[in-house]
Amino acid sequence: MSTTQSERLRVLLEPLVSSQGLDLEEVEVDSVGRKRVLRVVVDSDEGADLDAIADVSRALSVKLDETDAMGEGEYTLEVGTPGAERELKEHRHYVRATDRLVKFQLGDGDELVARILGVDEEGVDVEVPGVKGRKPTAKRLAFQDIAKARVQVEFNRKNKNEENAEEA
C-alpha cells in the first residue's frame, strides 16, 4: 500500500498539533514550478487565535527541519484555520458549526440552507428559515443523507445579545 507525502506528513505532524491543543484538519503539498508550499490547516472547538497558530507554526517548522519529510529543496510552510466558509466533513465540524447557517447538498440531489441547532451521533437538527413572513421550520437530517455541507457567511445576522436586548 503506497502512502502519499501528505499522508506521511499527517502522521508526523498530527501528534505535535494535538499537543498544542489543536486538531489537524488538513495537510496539502502544492508544487508550482520549483516552489513548494506545505499548507497545514488547524482548528479547535474554541477556534485558533493568532498566538496559537504562531506557536504551532514554530513547532511544526522545528519538527520538519529535524526530519527529511519534505525532502531536499526549499518550501514554504503556511499554517492557518479553515476559514469562514469551511466544508463540514467530520462530526466535530458540525458541532463547531452549531448556530451557523449551512448549505446542505443532500444525497437525493436536493439543496437546503438551514441553521444547525444541535448535533448528535446520527445527524443534525436544523432550522429552515421561513420565507415571505412564514415561521422557520425544524427538520432532522441524518448524516447518511448529507452529501456535502458548507458553512455560509452571514453579513447582517444579529447575534443573540442584540436579539435579547431588542426583546427586553
Side-chain angles (χ1 to χ4, degrees):
M1 182 173 118
S2 117
T3 58
T4 66
Q5 183 179 24
S6 293
E7 290 168 339
R8 288 190 304 271
L9 285 165
R10 176 176 283 281
V11 169
L12 176 70
L13 303 178
E14 195 155 27
L16 184 57
V17 171
S18 294
S19 74
Q20 301 274 329
L22 299 170
D23 295 317
L24 180 60
E25 298 293 352
E26 198 174 310
V27 175
E28 180 182 315
V29 181
D30 282 334
S31 295
V32 180
R34 289 190 223 159
K35 295 183 178 187
R36 292 182 306 148
V37 178
L38 170 58
R39 288 187 185 87
V40 178
V41 178
V42 298
D43 201 7
S44 78
D45 290 343
E46 298 78 34
D49 63 18
L50 289 176
D51 290 334
I53 292 171
D55 291 343
V56 78
S57 181
R58 282 189 290 273
L60 293 177
S61 182
V62 168
K63 183 70 166 183
L64 290 165
D65 288 347
E66 291 173 353
T67 69
D68 67 346
M70 286 298 293
E72 295 296 318
E74 293 183 20
Y75 65 93
T76 301
L77 172 63
E78 293 179 359
V79 180
T81 59
E85 291 186 347
R86 77 168 306 154
E87 186 173 351
L88 307 178
K89 296 179 181 178
E90 306 281 335
H91 183 269
R92 69 178 179 264
H93 299 164
Y94 287 90
V95 171
R96 291 174 185 163
T98 298
D99 201 39
R100 303 283 310 270
L101 197 63
V102 174
K103 182 177 184 179
F104 296 94
Q105 291 179 345
L106 305 177
D108 63 7
D110 285 348
E111 281 189 357
L112 175 70
V113 177
R115 188 169 312 284
I116 295 179
L117 299 176
V119 181
D120 61 27
E121 295 305 315
E122 288 82 38
V124 294
D125 294 312
V126 298
E127 180 181 75
V128 181
V131 180
K132 296 183 181 177
R134 292 190 177 129
K135 290 186 177 184
T137 56
K139 186 171 177 116
R140 173 82 177 163
L141 299 175
F143 285 125
Q144 65 190 20
D145 297 333
I146 301 170
K148 194 173 186 179
R150 184 174 299 279
V151 173
Q152 301 296 288
V153 174
E154 295 180 85
F155 292 106
N156 58 358
R157 180 167 187 239
K158 295 178 182 177
N159 68 36
K160 289 189 182 250
N161 293 337
E162 291 174 18
E163 289 173 7
N164 292 338
E166 283 183 5
E167 291 172 4

